[in-house]
């Protein structure tokens, strides 16, 4: 059986966001048990200026070294916007305004619902569609397939993995199983 566009995009994003929700539930429990508070976890970062703590470097700062709340936001938004790109639908990023775990859960739930509503066949044409990404330095063109494999999936996992790393760094007891989820049932 071969993989289809839905399984490689929306299905993969749903699984990753569902696992991220589980990690956030454990983070909420950790915040309550430790007394550290929700805000401290939501504002936590691996590095405040994009450089790893304790490592001297002349390298430029990574502007994507956001807070936990922003990492979760961009994991969800990255998935939603990537699918919209493949579908040729309008792409307007949602505001990055989550102030609580409840806000993050709501954002994840809305994104998961959106992804689950996509008809699998609708994404097949998107793999062949020309994708143009506009940014400060110009634009990049690729096929939908190349966009998905070389940009959208790695971008998504960058934010999901960084959120996991922030939570681990803040003492939340997570395992690789929390990151991978129930992969045998997928």
């Amino acid at each position: 059986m071969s993989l289809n566009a839905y399984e490689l995009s929306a299905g993969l994003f749903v699984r990753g966001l569902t696992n991220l929700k589980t990690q956030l539930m454990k983070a909420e429990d950790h915040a309550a048990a430790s007394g550290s508070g929700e805000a401290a976890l939501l504002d936590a970062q691996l590095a405040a200026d994009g450089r790893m703590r304790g490592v001297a470097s002349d390298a430029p700062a990574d502007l994507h070294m956001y807070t936990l709340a922003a990492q979760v936001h961009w994991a969800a938004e990255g998935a939603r916007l990537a699918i919209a790109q493949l579908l040729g639908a309008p792409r307007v990023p949602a505001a990055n305004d989550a102030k609580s775990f409840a806000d993050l859960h709501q954002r994840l739930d809305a994104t998961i619902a959106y992804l689950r509503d996509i008809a699998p066949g609708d994404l097949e044409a998107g793999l062949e569609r020309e994708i143009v990404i506009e940014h400060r330095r110009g634009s990049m063109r690729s096929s939908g397939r190349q966009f998905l494999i070389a940009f959208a999936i790695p971008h998504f996992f960058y934010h999901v993995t960084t959120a996991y790393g922030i939570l681990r760094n803040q003492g939340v007891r997570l395992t690789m199983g929390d990151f991978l989820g129930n992969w045998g049932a997928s």
Side-chain angles (χ1 to χ4, degrees), residues 71-96:
Q71 297 292 350
V72 173
H73 168 81
W74 285 112
E77 278 302 284
R80 187 181 66 78
L81 294 171
I83 295 301
Q85 185 78 267
L86 291 173
L87 293 171
R91 297 166 313 281
V92 179
N96 181 10

Side-chain angles (χ1 to χ4, degrees), residues 31 35-45 67-68 101 166 170:
S36 63
E38 188 173 286
L41 272 179
L42 294 175
D43 291 337
Q45 298 174 262
T67 64
L68 172 65
F101 281 112
I166 290 169
Q170 294 299 306

Side-chain angles (χ1 to χ4, degrees), residues 24-41 101 172:
L24 290 178
M25 288 187 270
K26 288 188 174 191
E28 287 178 275
D29 293 344
H30 172 81
S34 69
S36 63
E38 188 173 286
L41 272 179
F101 281 112
V172 178

Side-chain angles (χ1 to χ4, degrees), residues 2-155:
S2 63
L3 292 172
N4 63 43
Y6 183 88
E7 292 169 323
L8 288 173
S9 59
L12 180 114
F13 296 148
V14 165
R15 191 167 160 274
L17 294 174
T18 300
N19 295 345
L20 185 54
K21 278 182 57 75
T22 300
Q23 294 168 39
L24 290 178
M25 288 187 270
K26 288 188 174 191
E28 287 178 275
D29 293 344
H30 172 81
S34 69
S36 63
E38 188 173 286
L41 272 179
L42 294 175
D43 291 337
Q45 298 174 262
L46 288 179
D49 68 353
R51 292 178 177 88
M52 295 302 292
R53 289 192 178 115
V55 176
S57 173
D58 292 330
D62 179 355
L63 300 177
H64 292 95
M65 206 41 66
Y66 300 131
T67 64
L68 172 65
Q71 297 292 350
V72 173
H73 168 81
W74 285 112
E77 278 302 284
R80 187 181 66 78
L81 294 171
I83 295 301
Q85 185 78 267
L86 291 173
L87 293 171
R91 297 166 313 281
V92 179
N96 181 10
D97 57 3
K99 304 285 187 236
S100 67
F101 281 112
D103 291 344
L104 292 177
H105 284 294
Q106 183 178 11
R107 165 107 359 101
L108 292 172
D109 289 341
T111 303
I112 290 167
Y114 165 75
L115 296 171
R116 285 186 172 148
D117 282 345
I118 302 296
D122 290 350
L123 288 168
E124 292 298 328
L127 294 181
E128 304 310 319
R129 177 176 285 116
E130 180 182 44
I131 304 293
V132 179
I133 304 291
E134 302 288 343
H135 55 82
R136 290 184 298 254
R137 294 170 289 185
S139 63
M140 297 199 50
R141 295 179 180 283
S142 71
S143 69
R145 182 179 317 280
Q146 182 68 14
F147 164 77
L148 179 63
I149 293 169
F151 179 77
I153 293 171
H155 180 267

